[in-house]
Amino acid sequence: MVVLLALVVPWLWQSRPFDPRHGFGPDYPPAGIGAAQAPIGAPPKAPGGRGGYAFMQLQADGRHPVAYDPCRPVHFVVSSVGLPEGGEALVREAAAVMSQASGLQFVYDGLTDEAPDPDRDPYQPERYGDRWAPVYLSFATPEEVPGLAGGAIGLGGSTPRAASDGLLVYVTGAVWLDRDPMTALLTAGRRDSARAVVEHEIGHVLGLGHVQDSSELMWESGGAVSGPADGDRRGLAILGRGSCRPDL
């Protein structure tokens, strides 16, 4: 167990719902890029125990969460802009933990020189080819990403798009980590604390919202846990069983 309150008071987590535009349009790649005919991974069995979960966004039925397509990998990149020493390995470790907990298959596409931008376009064919842009993780400053101002150490979330029948599916996302406090954690040897920050924000990317239980990774007021707890894992297992949508 780690406590994250020593360096930044108050230590706040924040999430970002990202681009709310739905429906087909010119900002779409060809449908089905990278899609398999069946899920390429499987969530582990949801654990028992205490702890709940919440979702960032629900479908129109008000019951099922918006999630990624489990029939294609979740590609991700790390920005080389302002990358602290050890930052790339930290992100890859956190992504591996969240991939295992959700069953969604993460694929690391390497470093990118894409600069931090809170209005990031989910489709960038000139940079990433004719596909949805990979999930983007960056160590940024409040000047580059104003949402990091006021003590927030991270922002995370994903962009949904509507399939042909109106079902929403996440197609890409982003995490922005406040460069200075994250660098301070790494410099101080508090790697578990730093990784918990990244894991929490990747949780938002995958579709988890905040909870009010301090024993969970997705606790709304901060992270006192390294790695997803039972409630987080139950939510991630549900998100790992999203709908396969080759039409998107």
Side-chain angles (χ1 to χ4, degrees), residues 28 33 95 100 105 107 115-116 133 141 152 158 168 214 218 221:
Y28 273 67
I33 297 294
Q100 188 279 329
Q105 300 301 292
V107 173
T141 67
S158 282
L168 297 180
S214 62
M218 301 308 295
S221 296

Side-chain angles (χ1 to χ4, degrees), residues 23-117:
F24 292 98
D27 57 342
Y28 273 67
I33 297 294
Q37 295 183 342
I40 58 177
K45 182 179 178 181
R50 60 187 293 269
Y53 54 85
F55 297 124
M56 292 282 282
Q57 188 172 0
L58 296 175
Q59 301 288 350
D61 62 10
R63 296 186 299 115
H64 297 94
V66 179
Y68 277 87
D69 180 347
C71 288
R72 65 185 89 193
V74 178
H75 291 267
F76 71 101
V77 293
V78 176
S79 176
S80 61
V81 180
L83 181 65
E85 183 176 356
E88 181 184 12
L90 182 76
V91 169
R92 296 187 67 177
E93 290 170 11
V97 168
M98 302 304 281
S99 176
Q100 188 279 329
S102 66
L104 295 167
Q105 300 301 292
F106 284 43
V107 173
Y108 181 48
D109 288 349
L111 295 175
T112 178
D113 61 0
E114 181 184 353
D117 182 355

Side-chain angles (χ1 to χ4, degrees), residues 3 12 14 55 142 169 203 217 221 237:
V3 178
L12 300 177
Q14 292 187 12
F55 297 124
V169 179
L217 179 68
S221 296

Side-chain angles (χ1 to χ4, degrees), residues 8-231:
V8 177
V9 180
W11 195 292
L12 300 177
W13 305 94
Q14 292 187 12
S15 58
R16 175 181 169 83
F18 281 70
D19 187 349
R21 294 174 297 167
H22 305 146
F24 292 98
D27 57 342
Y28 273 67
I33 297 294
Q37 295 183 342
I40 58 177
K45 182 179 178 181
R50 60 187 293 269
Y53 54 85
F55 297 124
M56 292 282 282
Q57 188 172 0
L58 296 175
Q59 301 288 350
D61 62 10
R63 296 186 299 115
H64 297 94
V66 179
Y68 277 87
D69 180 347
C71 288
R72 65 185 89 193
V74 178
H75 291 267
F76 71 101
V77 293
V78 176
S79 176
S80 61
V81 180
L83 181 65
E85 183 176 356
E88 181 184 12
L90 182 76
V91 169
R92 296 187 67 177
E93 290 170 11
V97 168
M98 302 304 281
S99 176
Q100 188 279 329
S102 66
L104 295 167
Q105 300 301 292
F106 284 43
V107 173
Y108 181 48
D109 288 349
L111 295 175
T112 178
D113 61 0
E114 181 184 353
D117 182 355
D119 296 317
R120 183 179 189 245
D121 195 329
Y123 178 43
Q124 302 181 44
E126 297 83 3
R127 182 182 295 274
Y128 297 114
D130 213 1
R131 58 169 176 154
W132 294 111
V135 172
Y136 173 83
L137 296 99
S138 171
F139 293 81
T141 67
E143 291 73 28
E144 293 167 324
V145 180
L148 292 172
I153 194 172
L155 296 167
S158 282
T159 300
R161 285 291 185 264
S164 56
D165 60 358
L167 188 84
L168 297 180
V169 179
Y170 289 135
V171 294
T172 189
V175 168
W176 293 285
L177 304 161
D178 194 328
R179 185 182 307 157
D180 288 346
M182 288 295 290
T183 300
L185 283 174
L186 290 170
T187 301
R190 300 179 63 187
R191 190 175 186 82
D192 286 349
S193 298
R195 191 176 67 247
V197 175
V198 186
E199 290 167 349
H200 179 106
E201 299 306 332
I202 294 176
H204 284 316
V205 167
L206 295 183
L208 286 180
H210 286 147
V211 297
Q212 298 181 359
D213 184 346
S214 62
S215 70
E216 300 294 321
L217 179 68
M218 301 308 295
W219 181 37
E220 64 180 354
S221 296
V225 176
S226 178
D230 287 346

